[in-house]
Each structure stands twice: as structure tokens, then as C-alpha cells.
Amino acid sequence: MSHPVLNDASLDQLFRQARTVHAFKPTPVTDAQIHQLYNLLKWGPTAFNAQPARYVFLKTAEAKAKLIPALMPGNVPQVESAGVTVIVAHDTRFHEHLPSQFPGYDAKPLFDANPAMTEATAARNSSMQGAYLILAARALGLDCGAMSGFNPQVVNDAFFPDGRFKVNFLINLGEADPAGIHPRGPRLAFEEVAQIL
């Protein structure tokens, strides 16, 4: 291996002891932490270095109030208590940035001519970038709760009315309230989900 294996404490923080948090303490997430978070997650690889994800960090009560009508009722307290709620979206015209972000060759025409490939690439890679955000947040000591219980059209209408960006999912960040950590669910065994050929 070209890199050392992370120690057990790091692996616990990123995976084994990390939990989906459903309630947070009233600890703010600072703008400096948000910038630090982005400056870490941005290094995660994407196809063609396309980086289609776009992020809206909702910190204030006023900003979160715009999101509340889109949420399933059970998700409202999570958003209200989180230090910040992140809307992870994708840019439907991400390929306009390819000439500067992917200088290897002119890949922009591939997407100009193929809307289905553009949409699939944006959705897949923004999902990966959202996962990078979760791991980066955990690495920086933040607790996370990803959410998909919302009406995407309401979110898009409220935050992306011009239609260029489309919401993918939401992530709450902050300091966990132990009351919002449920018992860990089981995981499928390797033999149930994987094969080595």
C-alpha cells in the first residue's frame, strides 16, 4: 500500500462509531468551519472533474424557515436544532465549467449533445460529493444527519427558482444531542451483498 492505514480512532470516527444524528445541541457551526469543510470535501474525485454539486448552507432561522414547508413533519425538529442544514444540489449545466476544470480534452460537447448523460452524471457525482461532505464533516469533528424526507419541488421552487440547480438531498450538521442518536441498525453480511470474481 502506498499510504498508511488510518488508526482505529480515525476509522471509528469516520465509520464504525459514526451515526446518523436526529437531534443537535445548540452549538453553532461557524462560517470558518463551513469554509474548512468545503476546502476538504472539494478534493474528492468526480467524473471528468466535473464537480456538479452545489451547496446552500442554511444557518439562520429565516433561511431554515424557507425549507420547513418542504419537510416531512418528523424532520422539522432535526433541521431546527442543527447548527447548519446543507442543501446538496446539482448544477444542470455543470459541463459549462469543463473547459477550465477538465483541460485534458474538450469534453463539454459530450454533455451538450446528451441531456440524459448530463442528468445522470450530475445526479451520480453530486451524490458522491454529498458523501464526501459527510466524511469531511466527521473528520472535522462534526456530527451529521443526512435526510431525504422532503418535497424536492418545494425546495427547488424556494431556493433554485431559475431551474438551473436541482436539490439532491439534505444534510444536518452540528454537535449531536445524545437523545437524537438511535440504536444502530444491523448491516448486511458481505456474502449477502458482494462477490469476488
Side-chain angles (χ1 to χ4, degrees):
M1 292 186 187
S2 60
H3 303 288
V5 176
L6 295 178
N7 62 34
D8 278 337
S10 297
L11 295 174
D12 284 347
Q13 184 167 325
L14 292 175
F15 292 101
R16 294 187 294 233
Q17 297 300 319
R19 307 298 294 279
T20 298
V21 174
H22 299 277
F24 296 85
K25 294 181 178 180
T27 307
V29 175
T30 67
D31 290 0
Q33 286 175 295
I34 291 171
H35 283 275
Q36 184 182 24
L37 174 64
Y38 177 72
N39 285 327
L40 185 57
L41 81 90
K42 71 180 181 183
W43 298 113
T46 54
F48 295 93
N49 198 34
Q51 306 161 72
R54 301 296 180 262
Y55 314 95
V56 180
F57 294 90
L58 308 177
K59 288 179 56 176
T60 67
E62 293 78 15
K64 289 181 180 183
K66 288 179 61 177
L67 181 64
I68 298 299
L71 302 177
M72 293 176 60
N75 287 335
V76 171
Q78 299 175 52
V79 168
E80 290 179 335
S81 68
V84 62
T85 298
V86 189
I87 301 173
V88 179
H90 69 261
D91 183 352
T92 62
R93 301 204 306 263
F94 68 87
H95 51 291
E96 292 177 359
H97 296 279
L98 289 180
S100 65
Q101 299 303 300
F102 185 73
Y105 64 88
D106 187 8
K108 183 176 177 291
L110 296 174
F111 295 96
D112 289 336
N114 193 334
M117 185 172 90
T118 301
E119 177 62 26
T121 300
R124 183 179 304 114
N125 286 271
S126 67
S127 295
M128 286 196 315
Q129 289 181 279
Y132 298 148
L133 190 155
I134 291 170
L135 289 175
R138 289 174 175 173
L140 296 173
L142 293 169
D143 294 301
C144 307
M147 290 193 333
S148 59
F150 62 91
N151 183 320
Q153 191 60 55
V154 174
V155 175
N156 289 335
D157 289 346
F159 292 92
F160 313 121
D162 69 359
R164 176 167 178 158
F165 300 163
K166 293 183 179 178
V167 65
N168 187 333
F169 65 106
L170 309 174
I171 306 171
N172 294 310
L173 302 174
E175 181 183 356
D177 180 340
I181 300 176
H182 304 315
R184 184 185 293 283
R187 297 297 190 268
L188 294 169
F190 181 91
E191 294 74 18
E192 296 177 277
V193 300
Q195 55 182 314
I196 301 174
L197 302 177

